[in-house]
Amino acid sequence: MDAPGTALVVDHDKSRVLALAELVKGLGFEPVIHTTALGAREFLHSRPELDVILCEFDMEGLTWDATRRSVPELDHQIPIVLISDEARAESIMRALRWGASDFFVRPLDDIEALERSLERCRRQRQVRRELERSRKRLEAANTELRGTIKVLEQDQQAGRQVQMRMLPSTPMVLDDYVFSHTVIPSLYLSGDFTDYFTVGDRHVTFLMADVSGHGSSSAFATVLLKNLFARKRSDLLRKNDDAIYSPVAMLKQANLELMDLEVGKFATMVVGVVDTQENTLRYSVAGHLPQPVLVSHEGARYLRGEGSAVGIMADAHYEEHLIDLPDSFMLALFSDGILEILPPKNLIEKENYFIRVFEETADSPEELVTRLGLDRVETAPDDIAALFISKRD
Amino acid sequence: MDGRILAASHDGAYVIRMKGDVRVTLCTTIEEYFHTMFEDPEFTSVWVDLCDAEGIDSTTLGLLAKLAINVKEKYDFQPAIFSCEPGINRLLKSMGFQRLFELREEACASPKDIQELPQVTGSEATVKAKVIEAHRVLMGLSEENQAKFKDLMMALERG
């Protein structure tokens, strides 16, 4: 059963208005009576909850043209039923053009028609109210969502701060060697990570990792990797475990730990160990693209190496490469985000383009960053991390 | 071109077709499909068609790797990947996918020449023939006749 509706009944003729109110009441509406146009208008300004307005067509002090301009401004959208003594077609047409929902002629003997008309008005109002309620609910939900997003953004920013602090100091100068890095995350949190640190008095272990996906879960995986390398570094001293000197051993360990995490995250990685005394590099690649680029006076070349990404299959195997480094060189490692911003379309062309940039650029990381447009990237489609190792003789 | 992942099956032979630049942010639909596929008592083979793929993001690669590992564990065979775009092949090999899948690099242009397809081991010659036939049917589904294919990339999965 619907709640009874409310009807505003307006007529300057007191006896008519009372009769109409009585009639409306009989049809299940609560009548509110006004006998002046001014009173009715003020009443409407107070935004009452009405289902329908029944109004005398030739109401004293009321010109419909003016009312049409003022009533819509109230934005009430309350259906109006007009009542008149005369059934002039022209009046009826005018009333309907003004937006009246129905027109009745006295005597009101077809009560059923009036009842149907009022019922229609009430249903219309109910639909409007329901819409209004839905709109309010949506707005509330929207506000709540915005709040939640705000909280998430704050979390992401906090995570970002932590992640930035996990990165090594840049540049790290070690005799003739310089290690530096730059990370451009596409979101607040990045699945890209790089690290380098001295091991003993002559080695530096470094890594570049690109964890699949984005956001917190990828970022947590970078924390795990950072922690693994730090742990293995201390295991060298405490347990005589020399995995930290072996890129393959480190990749195998990283593979196990990511598999154990069971979050469906995997990472492509490059791990390397520089021996600063011998000027050699021992490295291993786990599915990482682009491959490391070595630039020297002989030109630029990719350091080849294949192997599965870590965190995909339990029995992954990795190759270890040992190379003599030139007296003066720059080694550059990028995460695959860099490939996204290179002009060519397919991967092989991108790789060729990338190596050409190195061929044509003097070997300073700053110049490279400019040449690749990294200093102009506002938000990259994917995270971009870069690690540079250079040596001057 | 926006990426799409389409899937269809015929007599227990499944095909996953990727087109365009495939980037997955949410992969629930795809994972559900794989789950249903493994529940199918008729399941005999699955292959991945990358002939029209322009790019594949890391999440999608992860999904494919998981698919291959599951197939190997449950049915003891390596699914095939058909792909002849050098860039895509380079990507697959750099990730070590040749250890998870049978890479068929030359088959895109001429699926008619396919004589062998990895499938559930121990199946009879008739099953083999059926798989090859299903493969032809599915490879031959024209653009207009894609009704058999289910689009696994929902609008909300567009990253």
Side-chain angles (χ1 to χ4, degrees):
Chain A
M1 177 66 199
D2 292 334
T6 311
L8 169 63
V9 186
V10 188
D11 194 339
H12 52 262
D13 183 319
K14 287 202 171 53
S15 62
R16 270 196 324 212
V17 87
L18 287 172
L20 184 57
E22 205 51 45
L23 181 61
V24 165
K25 201 171 186 158
L27 296 176
F29 284 79
E30 195 56 52
V32 177
I33 299 174
H34 274 273
T35 52
T36 65
L38 188 67
R41 191 167 300 171
E42 279 176 356
F43 172 68
L44 282 175
H45 272 292
S46 71
R47 298 193 155 271
E49 263 302 324
L50 287 174
D51 291 281
V52 59
I53 300 171
L54 294 106
C55 185
E56 166 56 36
F57 181 71
D58 299 302
M59 178 76 191
E60 282 175 7
L62 188 134
T63 47
W64 282 106
D65 283 321
T67 305
R68 196 174 51 129
R69 281 193 297 275
S70 66
V71 173
E73 279 168 14
L74 293 170
D75 191 28
H76 267 227
Q77 300 179 320
I78 304 165
I80 299 181
V81 174
L82 293 170
I83 300 161
S84 174
D85 284 330
E86 300 175 317
R88 288 202 315 267
E90 182 252 347
S91 310
I92 298 171
M93 295 295 285
R94 258 170 56 209
L96 291 175
R97 291 220 172 87
W98 289 327
S101 71
D102 211 339
F103 194 99
F104 284 86
V105 182
R106 288 192 192 87
L108 294 169
D109 42 16
D110 191 350
I111 301 300
E112 270 183 22
L114 180 66
E115 183 170 24
R116 276 199 302 275
S117 184
L118 294 186
E119 201 40 52
R120 225 179 12 249
C121 292
R122 178 160 63 181
R123 272 204 303 275
Q124 211 178 338
R125 284 292 287 159
Q126 265 171 342
V127 169
R128 281 197 188 288
R129 282 192 199 112
E130 191 46 53
L131 267 176
E132 185 59 19
R133 273 198 292 274
S134 297
R135 199 177 58 84
K136 287 208 167 97
R137 272 201 300 271
L138 272 176
E139 272 178 8
N142 219 338
T143 309
E144 199 174 321
L145 271 177
R146 267 200 285 270
T148 313
I149 287 173
K150 192 110 206 91
V151 171
L152 281 175
E153 278 179 354
Q154 286 166 346
D155 282 356
Q156 290 264 317
Q157 278 160 344
R160 176 97 196 101
Q161 290 297 323
V162 172
Q163 214 175 18
M164 288 315 260
R165 275 166 211 207
M166 292 193 330
L167 291 166
S169 60
T170 182
M172 176 177 93
V173 182
L174 212 70
D175 302 329
D176 300 337
Y177 295 85
V178 181
F179 294 76
S180 64
H181 67 78
T182 169
V183 176
I184 304 168
S186 57
L187 294 158
Y188 296 104
L189 281 172
S190 164
D192 286 8
F193 187 67
T194 182
D195 200 3
Y196 42 75
F197 47 84
T198 55
V199 179
D201 51 8
R202 56 187 274 196
H203 292 92
V204 178
T205 296
F206 65 86
L207 70 125
M208 165 66 69
D210 182 349
V211 180
S212 61
H214 286 289
S216 313
S217 52
S218 305
F220 287 137
T222 65
V223 175
L224 179 102
L225 292 172
K226 165 93 184 175
N227 176 274
L228 163 67
F229 277 75
R231 209 168 58 234
K232 285 293 164 194
R233 186 189 182 201
S234 75
D235 282 355
L236 175 69
L237 301 171
R238 292 188 306 111
K239 300 181 181 172
N240 232 345
D241 169 355
D242 58 5
I244 199 72
Y245 288 130
S246 160
V248 165
M250 289 310 293
L251 285 176
K252 282 194 165 150
Q253 196 60 38
N255 188 45
L256 286 179
E257 300 206 4
L258 266 186
M259 299 276 297
D260 279 352
L261 210 55
E262 287 186 349
V263 287
K265 288 284 165 191
F266 66 91
T268 67
M269 288 178 80
V270 178
V271 178
V273 179
V274 175
D275 181 338
T276 58
Q277 216 161 66
E278 300 287 330
N279 197 32
T280 58
L281 167 69
R282 190 180 291 278
Y283 74 94
S284 185
V285 180
H288 194 85
L289 288 175
Q291 289 168 319
V293 177
L294 182 64
V295 189
S296 67
H297 62 273
E298 287 170 11
R301 68 177 179 98
Y302 281 117
L303 294 185
R304 298 293 172 189
E306 288 197 347
S308 314
V310 296
I312 292 186
M313 42 190 146
D315 61 343
H317 69 110
Y318 305 101
E319 307 163 355
E320 197 157 287
H321 305 264
L322 176 64
I323 60 165
D324 288 322
L325 290 165
D327 291 335
S328 166
F329 71 89
M330 180 180 74
L331 182 65
L333 288 86
F334 279 80
S335 64
D336 71 358
I338 190 70
L339 298 172
E340 298 256 342
I341 66 168
L342 299 180
K345 212 166 157 42
N346 90 34
L347 179 59
I348 292 178
E349 287 163 18
K350 280 176 191 281
E351 285 183 304
N352 294 339
Y353 179 98
F354 189 58
I355 202 89
R356 266 204 313 278
V357 171
F358 286 91
E359 293 273 5
E360 295 161 6
T361 311
D363 52 358
S364 93
E366 296 76 17
E367 202 174 321
L368 252 178
V369 164
T370 308
R371 179 69 208 275
L372 289 166
L374 286 180
D375 48 358
R376 296 189 302 277
V377 176
E378 288 290 317
T379 45
D382 190 5
D383 312 321
I384 302 174
L387 161 64
F388 300 103
I389 301 168
S390 53
K391 178 177 178 287
R392 300 253 178 270
D393 54 354
Chain B
M1 172 180 165
D2 254 355
R4 290 176 77 196
I5 299 178
L6 303 163
S9 64
H10 187 83
D11 290 346
Y14 283 76
V15 62
I16 313 295
R17 186 178 282 177
M18 299 197 177
K19 309 176 94 158
D21 192 8
V22 183
R23 289 160 192 272
V24 179
T25 41
L26 303 161
C27 40
T28 41
T29 329
I30 299 157
E31 283 181 324
E32 268 168 30
Y33 187 85
F34 289 168
H35 186 74
T36 321
M37 178 175 79
F38 290 134
E39 299 283 288
D40 181 358
E42 296 283 292
F43 177 88
T44 46
S45 87
V46 58
W47 65 91
V48 180
D49 171 358
L50 300 181
C51 299
D52 295 327
E54 290 160 17
I56 303 174
D57 72 347
S58 66
T59 311
T60 313
L61 285 167
L63 281 170
L64 287 178
K66 203 150 74 175
L67 168 73
I69 289 165
N70 280 333
V71 168
K72 182 85 185 130
E73 276 176 1
K74 289 192 169 76
Y75 302 101
D76 197 34
F77 74 92
Q78 282 192 339
I81 284 188
F82 292 88
S83 146
C84 47
E85 209 280 301
I88 298 282
N89 289 337
R90 168 97 185 93
L91 180 67
L92 297 176
K93 285 187 186 147
S94 80
M95 296 279 297
F97 267 45
Q98 67 275 26
R99 297 190 56 229
L100 293 170
F101 286 92
E102 258 194 41
L103 298 186
R104 301 282 184 94
E105 295 179 22
E106 303 306 325
C108 290
S110 53
K112 284 187 245 7
D113 304 340
I114 294 166
Q115 297 304 321
E116 267 304 313
L117 271 174
Q119 61 203 282
V120 175
T121 41
S123 40
E124 303 155 27
T126 49
V127 178
K128 265 196 187 6
K130 201 171 78 170
V131 168
I132 308 267
E133 190 46 41
H135 181 262
R136 289 216 178 102
V137 169
L138 291 169
M139 290 294 249
L141 282 183
S142 59
E143 285 301 319
E144 303 82 68
N145 187 16
Q146 291 253 322
K148 250 187 105 83
F149 277 92
K150 181 175 180 225
D151 195 341
L152 298 184
M153 292 264 272
M154 306 303 244
L156 90 162
E157 295 198 315
R158 292 275 149 76

